[in-house]
Structure formats: C-alpha cells, structure tokens
Amino acid sequence: MSLACTIHAALDLRIEQETPRAVGPHDVLLRLGAGGICGSDLHYYKEGRVGAFVVREPLVPGHEASGIVEAVGSEVTRVKPGQKVAINPSHPCGRCDYCRAGRGNLCRQMFFLGSASVFPHAQGMFRERFVMGEAQLTPIDEADVTLGEIACAEPLSIGLHAVQRAGPLLGEAVLVAGGGTIGCMCVMAARLAGAAQVIACDINDRALEMVRAVGADRTIRSDQATPDELADVAEVAIEAAGSPAALATCLKATRRGGRIIQVGTLPPEVPFPANSVMQRELDYRGVFRAHLEFDWAVQAIRTRRVDVRPLISAQLPLARSKEAFELALDRSRSTKVSTTRVLVSG
Ligand SMILES: [Zn+2]
Ligand SMILES: [Zn+2]
C-alpha cells in the first residue's frame, strides 16, 4: 500500500491508501522525491477547479515532481533502481498534427499529469509510490543535486519556453512582470539566453527581493513607479503575473518594434489596447506549458547553470499535504514572506 494526497472538492483534501498499478515492461515504479505545489494545484485545492477544469472525481494533484527508482520493467534501459529522476508530466499523443509538427505542448490529446482537463482525470504525482513510463524519466546522478531542485525542472521549463518564444535575447533588455515562481524562472532563463539586462517588477517588496536573489539586474515597484520610469525600458516584456495591471506595465515598458510574451493566465475578459500594438508594431505572443525545454531545464539544474535553490522554502512530508497546501496558500497571499516554493516529500 502507498499514501496518496487526493482532492475530492474545494478544501476537501484527504490522505488515502492506494495500490500502485502493475509495472509493465517499459514502466518504472517510483517513490516520490519532492513535489512542488503550483498555482494550479492551489486552485484545485481552494476552488475545486482551475478555470473550466472542474474536479469531478478524486484528483491526485502534482505535476512538478522528482522521484527515486524502486523497480524497473523488463525492457527498461534509461534508469535503474536507486537513481534519482526528473519526471516530465507532459504526455503529448505523438500522433496529431501539432505533435507531428514538433509542437507537442499544443497537442490535441494532451495528457498532462495532475489535471482535471480530461475525464477520467490525469492523476498527478503527490503520492508515495507511482508507476511511470520510462520515456518520461531522466536520471540525475549528481550526488549534491537535491530532489527538491530536480522538482523545479517543470516550472523552469516554462521560463525557458517563454524565452524561446521571445526569440533571440542576446544584447537586449528584458522586463519580467511578476516575481512569483514563474517570474523567477523567466529571470533565470533570460539571463541564460544572453539578455544584456534583466529588469523585474512587482507590487510586493518580498517578491522583488526574490527576483534579485535569482539574478535580476534591476527591480521596479510597478505600483509606485512614474510613467516615465516604466516607459520603453525593454525590447521584450514577459507577463508572468497573470494580472491586467502587469500586462498594462508590459505594454508601457516595451519599446517600439518589441515583443510581449504572455505567460500568466489572465482573467477571462481583459481590455486590450490593440491600437498600441498596431501603432508601435509590437508582437504579442502566448506561452502554453513547454515541450523540448523540459530536458533543457533538467540539464540546467543538474549542472547548476541555473541555481533554483533560493526558491525552495518549506518541505513537508506527503502525509502532511493539507498543511503544505495551507502554507502555500498563505504564502501566495502573504506580502511578508519571501519564500515561494513549498514542497511535499516522499
Ligand atoms: Zn506548475
Ligand atoms: Zn498530439
């Protein structure tokens, strides 16, 4: 038997016993290493839904996780028992037109772990033991790289995909609006991509401390800045806050001919100044999850080309998931706490 954290409805989170499914020839039995609680996990917990995706049966959350190999199927060659692994939660179908065109994150039949977007739901990884196809796994043999760091591969992949969508950044100034986990990942990704200057803005001093800790060159309190301080500061602006105010800041901050990259999820209806996009020849580009960037993120973390350690705060055992979710919820609301990542561990 094995423990699983399951969300039955809003604020109804339980720890239950389950039996992991049988290990097929290409499967691997994993023990949870660490799992990051993401904004979408918090929405499932707090509201029982993320936008249109409603919890209709008990859902195991968790799509940002690392594991330790316990047993392998007869045909498995990528990993062996005892190894730490990064786990890619994304299962594009490989058959649809988008997959065939190399854009797996846009797959028509995506199966993404820890999501109620499909029914039966795609069960996630906040469970003591679970079985995963070996294709999803990358072994990490570096002894000093922790399971908590490896669990940051998925959110880092979003930052890398945002930068990939932005196009070449070498020599450019980049503004990241929003200093939460994804904003921090975007800051680190922009540095990795050669941006000459990375500026970050937020309305929270603690968030600005965090973006400085991960390498932002300059920070701006967007709610206190004068219009002049914000105008034309960057060739590229990345909206990583999911707020209309942050989008307005991005539009103000982007130089003529520049690009705005939308990573955050905005409310359903947001007024959009299309004429400013037209007159200033701005490119407005969306970012949805990530594709090849997952492997790049794993590589960057294992070599510490990107150091995610400042982002990791509390780590609680899986059996105390409810507490971990409450803590993460508290921190998402708090303006006094500078730490952003709360992990559960196996
Ligand atoms: Zn996430
Ligand atoms: Zn597909």
Side-chain angles (χ1 to χ4, degrees):
M1 291 296 267
S2 158
L3 293 181
C5 160
T6 53
I7 294 174
H8 289 246
L11 299 175
D12 182 1
L13 184 154
R14 306 178 199 174
I15 301 296
E16 292 172 328
Q17 293 280 353
E18 61 171 16
T19 308
R21 70 174 169 87
V23 177
H26 294 281
D27 288 339
V28 176
L29 176 66
L30 297 170
R31 184 154 51 82
L32 177 66
I37 300 176
C38 180
S40 60
D41 300 319
L42 282 181
H43 280 291
Y44 284 127
Y45 173 63
K46 196 169 58 169
E47 290 136 26
R49 64 192 299 157
V50 177
F53 308 153
V54 181
V55 174
R56 287 184 282 161
E57 62 172 344
L59 173 71
V60 177
H63 58 268
E64 305 173 2
S66 61
I68 299 161
V69 177
E70 288 215 324
V72 298
S74 56
E75 303 294 318
V76 167
T77 59
R78 273 177 74 77
V79 299
K80 40 183 198 281
Q83 275 181 319
K84 293 180 287 194
V85 290
I87 309 166
N88 188 342
S90 180
H91 296 68
C93 77
R95 292 181 293 271
C96 74
D97 48 349
Y98 291 111
C99 283
R100 304 304 295 175
R103 301 189 75 168
N105 58 312
L106 301 180
C107 173
R108 291 181 191 275
Q109 284 130 34
M110 175 60 85
F111 188 81
F112 192 89
L113 300 183
S115 165
S117 63
V118 290
F119 190 85
H121 298 336
Q123 299 296 336
M125 297 185 280
F126 287 176
R127 52 209 330 175
E128 203 175 355
R129 284 186 177 75
F130 49 92
V131 175
M132 192 70 46
E134 72 164 320
Q136 303 304 120
L137 308 177
T138 305
I140 308 286
D141 289 326
E142 286 78 359
D144 60 330
V145 176
T146 64
L147 290 158
E149 287 174 82
I150 301 166
C152 290
E154 196 274 340
L156 178 59
S157 76
I158 308 298
L160 292 170
H161 187 54
V163 157
Q164 179 74 350
R165 292 278 295 143
L169 295 183
L170 196 61
E172 298 199 319
V174 176
L175 174 85
V176 177
T181 295
I182 296 298
C184 287
M185 298 300 182
C186 290
V187 166
M188 293 191 282
R191 282 175 61 98
L192 200 60
Q197 193 190 22
V198 182
I199 308 157
C201 65
D202 201 288
I203 55 172
N204 176 338
D205 287 331
R206 298 290 174 159
L208 293 180
E209 267 170 40
M210 188 55 75
V211 286
R212 273 195 294 273
V214 298
D217 300 295
R218 184 152 82 86
T219 55
I220 302 175
R221 265 291 293 253
S222 33
D223 53 339
Q224 294 170 0
T226 63
D228 274 0
E229 280 175 285
L230 282 173
D232 294 345
V233 295
E235 278 81 24
V236 172
I238 300 176
E239 202 288 332
S243 107
L247 175 58
T249 299
C250 289
L251 281 154
K252 219 175 295 166
T254 306
R255 297 168 61 80
R256 291 177 199 178
R259 295 97 79 194
I260 296 175
I261 313 302
Q262 184 65 48
V263 184
T265 304
L266 293 166
E269 302 290 336
V270 176
F272 187 75
N275 287 340
S276 168
V277 171
M278 177 272 287
Q279 285 157 0
R280 299 169 65 222
E281 290 203 349
L282 303 176
D283 291 348
Y284 186 62
R285 302 177 191 171
V287 170
F288 186 65
R289 296 180 179 152
H291 186 45
L292 300 177
E293 294 87 354
F294 185 84
D295 283 4
W296 306 352
V298 171
Q299 186 63 15
I301 287 172
R302 76 187 312 168
T303 57
R304 296 236 172 91
R305 288 290 298 279
V306 166
D307 190 350
V308 295
R309 284 174 293 181
L311 294 174
I312 299 168
S313 49
Q315 194 156 337
L316 279 78
L318 181 69
R320 288 165 62 194
S321 294
K322 193 169 172 71
E323 221 177 303
F325 271 73
E326 287 293 337
L327 187 64
L329 207 54
D330 229 44
R331 292 193 171 175
S332 72
R333 291 192 204 109
S334 172
T335 55
K336 293 204 180 67
V337 190
S338 60
T339 41
T340 53
R341 297 267 76 192
V342 177
L343 304 180
V344 294
S345 53

